[in-house]
Amino acid sequence: MKAPSFSYARPGSLSGVFELLERHGDRARVLAGGQSLLASLNLRLSAPELLVDIACVPGLTGITVAGDKVRIGALTTHRQIERSPEVARHLPLLAQAVRNVACAAIRNVGTFGGSIALADPAAEYPACAVALDATFVLAGRAAERRVRAREFFRGLYETALRPGELLIAGEFPVSGDGYRSVFLELARRRGDYAMVGIAAHARTAGGRISDARLAFLAVSGTPVLAVRAAAALEGRPPDARTVAAAQAALGDELEAPADLYASRATKLHLARVLLGRALGALAR
Ligand SMILES: Cc1cc2nc3c(=O)[nH]c(=O)nc-3n(C[C@H](O)[C@H](O)[C@H](O)COP(=O)(O)OP(=O)(O)OC[C@H]3O[C@@H](n4cnc5c(N)ncnc54)[C@H](O)[C@@H]3O)c2cc1C
């Protein structure tokens, strides 16, 4: 199928973007890498009258480290994240996760901001952002504001972005001393969206786990922070008994509704398997 006809604009400034979004309201859509949006147009799942391409807006690309934060601009591609020494050094969770995003051709074009704004429940970055307690910078015509990742993802493909707003960047705290990260997912084929995944970040100093953030993907409409499982780990060595207690706690907090690929029981089982593997890797 082909996309329905639409108009196209490529403003060269943020104010130009905001002006078009205000004038055209919900008849306009922001276009970044187009890797999700153009597919949805071709499948006739969406029919905007105007695409506002943000590729020429200055200041939206790049990865910078300032103080204890890593800032990733919305137009930074998956490939740039994959190849970034700053991400490898300061955000090892994201460095592991990006290798699971689609295939190289899509990673060359798709963007960080597009993935966050789309908020696919099976996407890798949203779960990493929740586990790392990232903050998103959002801007509208009148003002800029910051929203924590934990409050940004509101429901299935639903975020805190307001009409006319743009995601400008993500700000991630650098990984502290004594912290380790593990990203794991299960997909039917390499590069497919995950059936279940985990973004795990914890302090592992002295052979004990503390401050664990375990964010699961593809188990609900949004990333899910497993707080009960994390509580079962607090201050304990990751031995078999602790791991079993954390795995048991998942049953109370992961909804894991059945989807095209697996029943609820299978998804919960896979989540427990991934948690066990992640804790094993954190302990090594
Ligand atoms: C075959 C295939 C497999 C894929 N597999 C995966 C996968 O395993 N994991 C994964 O995470 N992704 C996967 N993707 C999606 C891919 O990562 C996309 O690049 C990404 O989801 C969207 O980024 P984009 O820049 O292409 O955004 P676009 O497609 O241009 O936009 C996506 C949505 O976000 C909005 N948007 C974009 N940028 C902004 C912004 N700065 N502010 C506000 N709104 C904005 C758009 O209006 C649109 O609604 C896959 C895609 C395909 C086609």
Side-chain angles (χ1 to χ4, degrees), residues 5-230:
S5 61
F6 53 81
S7 303
Y8 172 87
R10 192 156 63 167
S13 67
L14 267 183
S15 57
V17 173
F18 295 141
E19 203 260 309
L20 284 168
L21 293 180
E22 189 172 289
R23 184 153 21 114
H24 294 270
D26 61 9
R27 297 183 310 279
R29 291 287 290 277
V30 171
L31 175 69
Q35 296 304 290
S36 297
L37 182 55
L38 295 184
S40 85
L41 262 59
N42 289 340
L43 291 167
R44 305 271 171 136
L45 297 172
S46 165
E49 287 173 15
L50 173 70
L51 294 189
V52 181
D53 188 342
I54 57 174
C56 289
V57 175
L60 296 184
T61 302
I63 299 166
T64 50
V65 185
D68 59 357
K69 282 190 194 138
V70 182
R71 182 180 165 110
I72 303 181
L75 279 182
T76 307
T77 63
H78 306 312
R79 189 57 123 197
Q80 287 166 326
I81 291 174
E82 193 177 359
R83 295 196 168 162
S84 162
E86 291 86 4
V87 170
R89 176 156 178 225
H90 297 297
L91 304 175
L93 185 63
L94 212 55
Q96 294 171 53
V98 66
R99 294 180 214 130
N100 296 278
V101 176
C103 58
I106 289 169
R107 291 202 293 273
N108 280 333
V109 186
T111 67
F112 172 78
S115 176
I116 297 295
L118 183 66
D120 190 300
E124 289 79 6
Y125 297 158
C128 292
V130 167
L132 296 174
D133 202 12
T135 298
F136 299 125
V137 184
L138 315 180
R141 191 160 198 177
E144 191 175 278
R145 63 192 179 108
R146 282 173 165 72
V147 178
R148 281 178 80 190
R150 289 173 193 185
E151 282 127 36
F152 180 81
F153 301 102
R154 297 274 169 88
L156 191 62
Y157 299 107
E158 198 189 323
T159 72
L161 274 165
R162 295 177 185 147
E165 269 187 334
L166 212 59
L167 183 98
I168 299 292
E171 293 176 343
F172 291 78
V174 299
S175 195
D177 284 347
Y179 279 79
R180 299 190 68 183
S181 300
V182 176
F183 184 91
L184 296 172
E185 71 175 42
L186 294 165
R188 286 160 69 90
R189 294 169 306 185
R190 186 161 176 76
D192 277 6
Y193 276 108
M195 289 171 71
V196 179
I198 182 172
H201 184 68
R203 192 155 193 271
T204 57
R208 289 177 186 273
I209 301 226
S210 59
D211 191 23
R213 283 72 128 333
L214 311 167
F216 283 86
L217 51 140
V219 294
S220 180
T222 61
V224 177
L225 202 56
V227 289
R228 293 186 190 182

